[in-house]
Each structure stands twice: as structure tokens, then as C-alpha cells.
Amino acid sequence: MNENRIEKKFVLGKFKDDYLRKQLLINGFTQQYPDRNISSIYLDTLNYNFARDNINGVSERKKIRFRWYDDKFEKIFLEEKSKNNFTVSKVVNKINFISNKKNILNDLAKFLLSNKTKIIKNQNCKMVLKTNYKRSYWISSDKKIRATIDIDINASNLSNPISKLKLSDTILEFK
């Protein structure tokens, strides 16, 4: 799947998601899908070039991640997201293997080493960060604008997975 779109993200601190849901409803949005949990493993180069570009505000940057939803380990995707200012291009490929919660990191590491895909070929990437959060999906009345609300955001550095960071921020994104 290839997708191009404009994205704008807002980090709203400790806003309650129910407040944002009400604001979206007032402005003609309806919930598009049931809420679901999203988990991602982010890849980066050995020198953390993707993270550096993001932190430095480089207008043309990319991120590569493995992603799955609601612990459905039979449906894992490899995504490459390229961003130029607010314009985003995303390439999504389903990975053809089944894992489980206990083995997911090892299975993804083996997949990465097997270098079976064009996305990670010649990138010399490693897995660096795991995130998970709950997302709700919204659509405008004219079906032209999508919105997502992310809450209960957790992250852990894969070189020290015991140390977890829980973020109380609420993220609102328009797409």
C-alpha cells in the first residue's frame, strides 16, 4: 500500500481524550472505527540518522517501523514513512510470518537480519525503540479529513527494555 497525505500533529499535554472527542463531534466528525491498541518497533541507522533528522527539524526525513494492532501478531507490517514538511508518503508491506508476544522481538530481529525487503535493504538499520498506545479514529462529515487521538503512550529503549517511559500527553493528529 502506498499513500500520500498531509499530516499535522498536536501534542496537547494532559488534555483528556473525552474533551477532544467532544470537540471533534461538535465540529462534525464521527468515530470511523473502534479504538485499538497500536504497537511499533522503530528502526534507525547505526548512527541514529532518522532520530537526528527528526530532532533537528530536517524537513525531508524518514522513519521505518514494524507495526501491529491489538496484539494480532499474525498481521505485522513494515512501514517506511517519508516526510517533506507536512506532506507524508507511506509504503506499507505485510510481513509473512506469525509471532507471539513472547517471541516478537527475536522474530523481528531475525527478519531484519534476513534482509528480505527493499525498504530496509542497504539502510544498515537496527531496532531501537518500542512504543504502544491506544488510538481512536475520526472522520469529518465530508470524509476529507481524518483525525486520530492517541492516549496511554508508552515507550521503551530496546537496549534497556526494563526502563519504560509513560507519557501522559494526548496526541491529536489530522490527516
Side-chain angles (χ1 to χ4, degrees):
M1 174 175 75
N2 294 328
E3 183 179 328
N4 292 313
R5 63 185 181 206
I6 303 289
E7 292 183 354
K8 183 62 181 152
K9 186 179 290 191
F10 300 92
V11 179
L12 299 172
K14 295 182 182 180
F15 274 101
K16 300 289 184 203
D17 63 308
D18 57 333
Y19 170 80
L20 291 174
R21 289 172 185 261
K22 288 176 187 172
Q23 292 301 312
L24 288 171
L25 285 168
I26 289 168
N27 287 286
F29 282 76
T30 55
Q31 191 158 5
Q32 188 176 21
Y33 306 111
D35 292 358
R36 62 183 174 176
N37 293 307
I38 297 177
S39 297
S40 299
I41 303 283
Y42 285 87
L43 307 176
D44 207 334
T45 65
L46 299 177
N47 294 321
Y48 297 98
N49 293 338
F50 303 154
R52 288 177 198 271
D53 288 350
N54 187 25
I55 291 167
N56 293 327
V58 174
S59 62
E60 285 189 53
R61 59 185 186 264
K62 76 163 77 176
K63 61 179 148 185
I64 300 174
R65 65 187 172 213
F66 294 109
R67 177 163 278 184
W68 62 96
Y69 302 90
D70 291 327
D71 288 341
K72 294 182 179 175
F73 297 106
E74 70 280 2
K75 291 185 179 181
I76 300 173
F77 301 91
L78 179 61
E79 302 178 353
E80 180 180 13
K81 200 170 182 182
S82 300
K83 189 168 188 177
N84 187 351
N85 297 317
F86 297 118
T87 304
V88 174
S89 171
K90 186 161 78 168
V91 177
V92 179
N93 292 296
K94 185 177 182 298
I95 296 175
N96 292 318
F97 73 81
I98 297 173
S99 188
N100 58 49
K101 192 169 193 167
K102 181 180 176 186
N103 297 325
I104 188 68
L105 290 177
N106 287 333
D107 290 344
L108 290 175
K110 287 177 188 174
F111 177 84
L112 190 59
L113 286 173
S114 71
N115 209 11
K116 293 180 179 178
T117 176
K118 291 187 296 187
I119 290 179
I120 55 177
K121 203 174 207 70
N122 301 320
Q123 292 288 340
N124 205 12
C125 290
K126 64 179 180 176
M127 299 187 306
V128 295
L129 182 74
K130 181 178 189 285
T131 64
N132 63 293
Y133 49 89
K134 185 175 182 179
R135 173 169 281 176
S136 63
Y137 299 84
W138 298 80
I139 188 104
S140 63
S141 57
D142 64 3
K143 310 285 190 230
K144 292 183 179 180
I145 301 172
R146 293 184 298 136
T148 56
I149 301 171
D150 297 340
I151 61 169
D152 298 332
I153 303 165
N154 295 287
S156 59
N157 183 331
L158 291 179
S159 64
N160 184 11
I162 296 170
S163 174
K164 292 186 179 183
L165 175 63
K166 181 166 176 53
L167 303 172
S168 58
D169 292 329
T170 298
I171 309 286
L172 172 66
E173 188 168 13
F174 291 100
K175 305 167 185 188

